[in-house]
Amino acid sequence: MSSPLKILGFAILLSGSLVVSAAPAPQQKLALADCIRIALEKHQSLNVSEASVAMAEAQYQQAMSAYWPRIAAEVNASRADQDRTFKVQGQFDLPPALGSLPALIPGGKPISAVPLNMDVKLMDRDIVTSSLNLTYPIFTGMKREAIVSQAEKGVKIAEEGRRKTNLEIVRDVKKYYYAAQFAIQMEQLADDTLERFKALEDLTERLYQHGSMRVKKTDYLRTKTTTAITRTMRSEAQYARELAHEALGNAMGQEWDASYSLAEAADASPLSGELKQLVDSAHTFNPDIQQLKLAVQISDDQITEARSGYYPMIGFQAEVHDIQTDYKSGLTNAVNRDGWTIGIGMQWNLFDGFQTTGKVNQAKAQQRKLESQQILLNQGIALQVKQQFLSIKSASTQTKDSQEAVGYASENRKLHVRAYQDELVETKDVIEAQIVETFAQGTHYRSRYALEMGLLSLEYLLGSNVGELNQTR
């Protein structure tokens, strides 16, 4: 019993995250399905998973925005230190057809060029401009498609993460539920054993006090010692049961003072199906494997995104503008005050110092790394499935054998008690028969608990319920 009790002693430390929520009605009897339902309603880990999915969906929406045009309105009001002018300096040559102007000074040369030196006002110092711009990428070298595909797979990865969280919660609840059931059984076994030893102690005392020739004082003391030891073991079993009960409540998100009881659990269903079918199911449904598969697919998109640097970027642009100012001439005349422009532009990096090549090589190396990790994970999961498969087969066999042993031990104990009443066997033989029956019953409970633990561990590895897989085959 020491090993299961130590496991139960660490149950609270290994339980899931704390959740603050209302407790069920006092002394409510909960079955396994009820415990799972409560945990799935209250566990804070689900909120984290839901937030991760919402973030991934928002990133997908951001990526999809690349397929829509960008429309932006812009308004600017400015005041300069002075009017903006255009200075003209030089001379204006008269056309030959006009001839020369008379000299300004008597006896001087005729004037064939007019000197210029003046400032022309282009726009006022106060000006307000407003515009409406539209841009749309026509060709991005498959970069846009690659980014959208990555975001779409990111949503699937987040959904697999949410499914993994659900599986973890169900696994923890089942683990502590079966641990609580095992503790209840062991406590009941301790109670039954104590009652049998008390009865044996009373019988031994009567035989000893009535002068039996086969029952001595040492036999009487032996029975009292055995009863006292059994009473100690019962106290230990009670503590283990209470500890397991609290661990289950914590995994469900219950308050520390919640009051409820557990319904008796049904026997675990036998495992059907071959090992290869179970491994194939794990490769299909295990969330870790599915997330890594999606990561490998994302690496393909990342290579495509990196290769987009080899291609030109082509986009469409349009603009409508309006200028508000008191100055009606210069650049802000009636013709230039409002208008529109439309055009197509291209940008092509003919040489970027091999930056694009480096990005492509990095993405390819990342893909090779993920593919190798995927192989290792598949092999690791397959090995774990095989381990649990063998463990379940062993526990199932032990459960059947221990059940037979319980029947034999019970019959042996009854025969020894009847023979002891007739003083046909010694006290130590009766005590031994009692202990053997208790040991056989405890072994049976322990093998059932090991079978349940193996099945729930296998379900977590497969990513689906073993019973559902059996029905689909």
Side-chain angles (χ1 to χ4, degrees), residues 205-421:
E205 184 179 4
R206 289 197 302 269
L207 293 175
Y208 172 68
Q209 291 178 351
H210 285 79
S212 173
M213 298 300 295
R214 296 183 63 89
V215 179
K216 300 180 288 295
K217 185 175 182 180
T218 54
D219 297 324
Y220 174 65
L221 294 176
R222 183 181 290 114
T223 57
K224 292 187 70 68
T225 302
T226 307
T227 303
I229 294 175
T230 306
R231 190 178 294 108
T232 302
M233 296 174 63
R234 185 187 63 173
S235 299
E236 186 178 1
Q238 288 177 343
Y239 170 71
R241 187 258 305 162
E242 294 173 354
L243 199 61
H245 197 79
E246 292 302 320
L248 175 61
N250 189 32
M252 290 190 300
Q254 302 285 28
E255 295 285 354
W256 66 272
D257 57 349
S259 178
Y260 59 90
S261 60
L262 299 179
E264 185 176 355
D267 293 340
S269 302
L271 179 64
S272 62
E274 299 298 329
L275 177 59
K276 185 179 184 304
Q277 294 175 323
L278 296 174
V279 172
D280 292 340
S281 298
H283 290 167
T284 304
F285 298 108
N286 183 273
D288 290 328
I289 292 179
Q290 299 309 308
Q291 286 181 324
L292 196 52
K293 283 182 180 179
L294 291 169
V296 173
Q297 296 174 13
I298 287 178
S299 66
D300 286 331
D301 298 325
Q302 290 175 339
I303 294 175
T304 302
E305 180 185 0
R307 285 175 175 168
S308 65
Y310 292 129
Y311 302 98
M313 307 288 286
I314 302 175
F316 171 80
Q317 183 176 10
E319 180 188 54
V320 178
H321 65 271
D322 181 71
I323 301 175
Q324 299 293 329
T325 181
D326 295 334
Y327 187 57
K328 308 301 182 183
S329 300
L331 294 178
T332 55
N333 56 59
V335 177
N336 295 339
R337 279 179 175 271
D338 52 61
W340 56 269
T341 58
I342 187 171
I344 296 178
M346 181 191 75
Q347 181 180 354
W348 195 349
N349 294 328
L350 300 179
F351 180 73
D352 59 1
F354 304 104
Q355 182 183 39
T356 300
T357 303
K359 290 181 179 179
V360 172
N361 292 336
Q362 178 185 357
K364 289 182 177 179
Q366 177 70 13
Q367 185 181 54
R368 292 194 300 271
K369 174 184 175 182
L370 292 174
E371 289 174 345
S372 298
Q373 289 178 343
Q374 185 179 15
I375 295 174
L376 291 175
L377 180 60
N378 290 343
Q379 294 175 348
I381 294 296
L383 184 60
Q384 293 182 53
V385 170
K386 183 177 181 179
Q387 179 184 359
Q388 294 301 329
F389 177 80
L390 297 176
S391 174
I392 291 171
K393 290 294 185 181
S394 175
S396 180
T397 302
Q398 292 178 22
T399 301
K400 294 178 182 179
D401 294 340
S402 61
Q403 183 65 46
E404 295 181 4
V406 169
Y408 298 145
S410 177
E411 184 65 23
N412 180 62
R413 188 259 308 170
K414 293 176 183 178
L415 290 175
H416 272 78
V417 170
R418 287 197 295 267
Y420 187 62
Q421 292 174 344

